[in-house]
Amino acid sequence: ASRTASNQHCFEYKSTSDRASYQHYQQQHTCSTTTIMDVDDSTVEVNLISKEGDSFPVTLNVAKMSELVKSMMDEEDGDDDDDTTKEIPLPNVKANVLQKVLEFCKHHMTEPMTEIEKPLKSSLMADVVQKWYADFVDIEQVLLFELILAANYMDIKPLLDLTCATVASMIKGKTPEEIRQTFNIQNDFSPEEEAQVREENKWCEDA
């Protein structure tokens, strides 16, 4: 009983000033906790390092659109407790490609890309996604394919979906000859071999 009485005294205030002091402490503690909780991935920066060694500072929430970067950051968080800016090497991504990747990720944070319907409803990307994204992939083929490789390597699904859909839109509704011209592919078949392949796969064209 005496212990219970003692415990009750712990929550009693001897004067009004004691109560005011405790309330002031609670307010300070609450403010401090709130400040800590307010620190999120949008205020923390990480440096992504390209193949050439160029550094690209970017907020953590943008960087974590890459599942590869996200997993690497989680591993570093467990090994390192200092406050220095983390550096994530991306040896398979060239600087100009990484810059383009980050442009996509930053925009995606403010305007998420609409889900791409499959099969594609149009060969025009402007009919498939928002204008910004259609303009984003209106680029040279070399850079487009480098973006596909980077998106696959960094594991950024929306970017991989967009770039692959762009290639699909370039193929949609075209004959084999037109596809070869579009992608500058040399035909290794002789006319006789090509005729044979067409005959064997005629059911595809009929479908």
Side-chain angles (χ1 to χ4, degrees), residues 87-103:
E87 291 191 347
I88 302 297
L90 298 169
N92 292 354
V93 186
K94 295 191 294 187
N96 66 315
V97 179
L98 182 54
Q99 184 174 14
K100 192 76 173 171
V101 169
L102 294 179
E103 180 186 350

Side-chain angles (χ1 to χ4, degrees), residues 6-149:
S6 176
N7 288 341
Q8 288 176 344
H9 278 292
C10 291
F11 299 96
E12 294 176 356
Y13 302 94
K14 295 180 180 179
S15 67
T16 305
S17 61
D18 288 343
R19 184 184 296 273
S21 297
Y22 181 70
Q23 289 176 340
H24 178 67
Y25 165 78
Q26 281 188 312
Q27 290 174 350
Q28 285 187 320
H29 181 70
T30 302
C31 290
S32 176
T33 303
T34 302
T35 301
I36 293 172
M37 294 297 291
D38 285 344
V39 177
D40 56 28
D41 289 350
S42 65
T43 63
V44 179
E45 280 199 345
V46 59
N47 289 329
L48 303 185
I49 310 300
S50 71
K51 179 179 181 179
E52 298 88 343
D54 295 332
S55 179
F56 292 84
V58 64
T59 55
L60 198 53
N61 61 336
V62 172
K64 283 187 173 181
M65 277 194 64
S66 162
E67 291 296 328
L68 172 67
V69 172
K70 183 178 179 181
S71 64
M72 294 173 74
M73 287 299 302
D74 290 342
E75 290 175 5
E76 284 206 6
D77 287 343
D79 298 336
D80 192 0
D81 295 328
D82 61 35
D83 295 329
T84 58
T85 302
K86 301 292 190 300
E87 291 191 347
I88 302 297
L90 298 169
N92 292 354
V93 186
K94 295 191 294 187
N96 66 315
V97 179
L98 182 54
Q99 184 174 14
K100 192 76 173 171
V101 169
L102 294 179
E103 180 186 350
F104 172 90
C105 292
K106 289 175 183 177
H107 186 83
H108 195 278
M109 296 299 296
T110 58
E111 183 193 13
M113 186 180 72
T114 55
E115 187 173 350
I116 296 175
E117 296 181 15
K118 299 173 185 177
L120 292 181
K121 62 183 180 181
S122 171
S123 60
L124 298 175
M125 288 305 295
D127 296 334
V128 178
V129 291
Q130 301 100 307
K131 183 179 185 302
W132 188 93
Y133 293 101
D135 292 341
F136 177 82
V137 287
D138 186 14
I139 53 179
E140 294 181 359
Q141 283 186 26
V142 173
L143 181 54
L144 176 62
F145 285 110
E146 286 182 331
L147 277 175
I148 292 176
L149 294 175

